[in-house]
Structure formats: C-alpha cells, structure tokens
Amino acid sequence: QQSLACHHMLKFGLLLAVFVSVIYSQTCQSPNDCSGVTGKPYCVNNVCSQCNPSSLVPDCGCDPGEYCVTDPEVSNVGSCQPFETDIIGRSCQMSLQNDGYKAVTKGENDLLFCGLLKFNVNETSVRYVEWEGVCIRNVCRQCSQAPFNEVPYAICSDGRICGSDFKMQIAYGGIISWQFIPHNPIVIFYLIVSFLFWFSSLCFIAATLIIALAYYIKKRKSHNTTELTEGFMIQ
C-alpha cells in the first residue's frame, strides 16, 4: 500500500510539474505560437519570452528598472530581470565603460565595472556583458541624461526617460508631461521661454499688420481728400 501511495504521489508530482511547465514556459516553433501567451510575445529558443534579445534595444520589452537577459548561454534568456541592487549604486571606474570591459579581470577589478559581467568557470577574462549601466561621478547608475542634461529624450516607444535620479521611468508626454516636470523643474523655464518667444513673435506680426493697414487706410483717405479738393477747385 505504501508503494502504491508513493507511486500515485510520484505520478501526481509529474503531472503537476508538466502543468507548471506548460503554464510558465510555453514552448513555441514560431512567434505566432506565442500570440495567446500574455506578456510573452517572442519565441526565443523555442520558449515564449518577455523580450527579444536580438532587438536593437532589448530592454524596451521590459518594465523600467528591468533589463532583458540576452546571454544566449543561460536558460532564462529572453526574460526580464530587475537590475541587481548590489551593482546599482556601488563605486565604479569610468575607464572600464564600453570597450573598457576588456581590461576587466575577475577577482581584481570586476567589481568596479558598472554592469553585470559573465565569466566562464575557472577563467578570469570576461565572456559576456549582460548589461551595462553608466558610471557617473564614480557611482554606477541605471542610465544617463547625456547628451542633453536638462532635456532627456525618450528611448523606447512607451515614452520612458532617464529621470533626475538616474533611473528609467515612464513620462508618456516626454518633456512636456506633468510626470516629467517634477523630476526636472528647469523644463518649466524652457516651456515659458518658448511660449514667450512665440507669443511675442505673433504679437509683433499682428502689430506690424495693424500698423500697415492703418497707414494704408490713412493714405487712401488722404488721396481721396486731395482728389475731392482738386475737383472743387476745378469747378
């Protein structure tokens, strides 16, 4: 009886495992197979995934504060993961940014790289750069507002921007949205200056037209008066 009970429990466990795998890691042969999987429209390694590792900006498929796993050698490639809190905010060396990762050696200066590096077992050279932040004043940040410090630009189609706290956030209307202004109030100054410029330009054009029209009417009346006076003198 114990053997039979163990057999049923094992069978139930296998069915449960299959059910969970179907729910949470749907298999696919083409992107169309993922059309009915909510939030996982990409077919990556025959598994419906949250983001597309091969896209130009893979992180746009994830929420702000998350990155898309693009390392082809890991099982969760194509998934969205939160930025590691032990990396964001730690000290970093600006010289290791971009191609500077090639000078990184595990166990020596790898903790000073602003991002997540992957190493092969028993090797000290970098195998893969999973994600890279921005080393700003020797502190690792998610993103940068460069090249326009006060006027960040939208990176993804959902309107996300790099806020003044160097974290990605949604601002659906870009620099003119109410969501963005609290993060960088200097935008109000730019908006007011732009409004005053266009308003003053319109006022100048309107004033010029009014003066020109008044001058034309005055000249017309003067011409008519001269003609009328000359007519009386002839009579």
Side-chain angles (χ1 to χ4, degrees):
Q1 290 182 351
Q2 289 182 349
S3 177
L4 184 62
C6 289
H7 176 74
H8 285 304
M9 289 181 65
L10 180 60
K11 188 176 180 179
F12 175 76
L14 289 174
L15 290 174
L16 182 62
V18 171
F19 175 77
V20 171
S21 64
V22 169
I23 295 297
Y24 291 100
S25 60
Q26 293 86 346
T27 58
C28 59
Q29 299 297 323
S30 69
N32 279 347
D33 295 336
C34 301
S35 61
V37 184
T38 304
K40 295 182 177 181
Y42 304 101
C43 186
V44 181
N45 294 344
N46 301 117
V47 176
C48 294
S49 305
Q50 293 173 281
C51 56
N52 182 7
S54 60
S55 67
L56 184 62
V57 188
D59 292 352
C60 288
C62 302
D63 292 333
E66 296 181 340
Y67 65 91
C68 179
V69 178
T70 58
D71 184 356
E73 296 188 13
V74 297
S75 60
N76 64 337
V77 58
S79 66
C80 295
Q81 301 294 327
F83 287 101
E84 283 73 10
T85 55
D86 60 335
I87 296 178
I88 298 297
R90 76 182 181 189
S91 296
C92 58
Q93 290 183 358
M94 297 180 65
S95 60
L96 298 180
Q97 288 193 140
N98 303 321
D99 287 341
Y101 77 89
K102 297 176 182 179
V104 172
T105 301
K106 186 177 181 180
E108 292 186 11
N109 59 350
D110 56 309
L111 297 181
L112 295 174
F113 177 80
C114 182
L116 179 60
L117 299 175
K118 298 293 186 66
F119 298 88
N120 284 325
V121 179
N122 299 325
E123 291 186 8
T124 58
S125 58
V126 177
R127 175 181 65 81
Y128 193 80
V129 179
E130 183 60 78
W131 64 266
E132 182 177 4
V134 185
C135 190
I136 301 176
R137 294 189 293 276
N138 301 322
V139 177
C140 185
R141 306 291 188 182
Q142 281 186 24
C143 57
S144 170
Q145 295 181 352
F148 303 106
N149 240 4
E150 289 82 15
V151 188
Y153 51 91
I155 296 175
C156 302
S157 59
D158 58 7
R160 69 183 66 186
I161 59 169
C162 186
S164 58
D165 56 355
F166 304 107
K167 294 181 180 180
M168 296 303 298
Q169 49 203 283
I170 298 295
Y172 296 102
I175 64 171
I176 60 174
S177 74
W178 292 111
Q179 290 174 299
F180 173 71
I181 289 177
H183 295 289
N184 208 333
I186 198 170
V187 172
I188 298 176
F189 170 75
Y190 290 126
L191 294 176
I192 292 176
V193 169
S194 300
F195 172 78
L196 292 177
F197 172 78
W198 290 109
F199 181 74
S200 59
S201 298
L202 291 175
C203 288
F204 175 78
I205 294 172
T208 302
L209 291 176
I210 292 173
I211 293 173
L213 181 62
Y215 178 77
Y216 172 79
I217 294 174
K218 183 178 180 181
K219 289 289 291 184
R220 187 69 179 172
K221 286 183 177 180
S222 176
H223 180 70
N224 292 339
T225 302
T226 302
E227 288 183 349
L228 185 61
T229 303
E230 289 178 352
F232 280 123
M233 291 178 65
I234 292 174
Q235 291 179 357

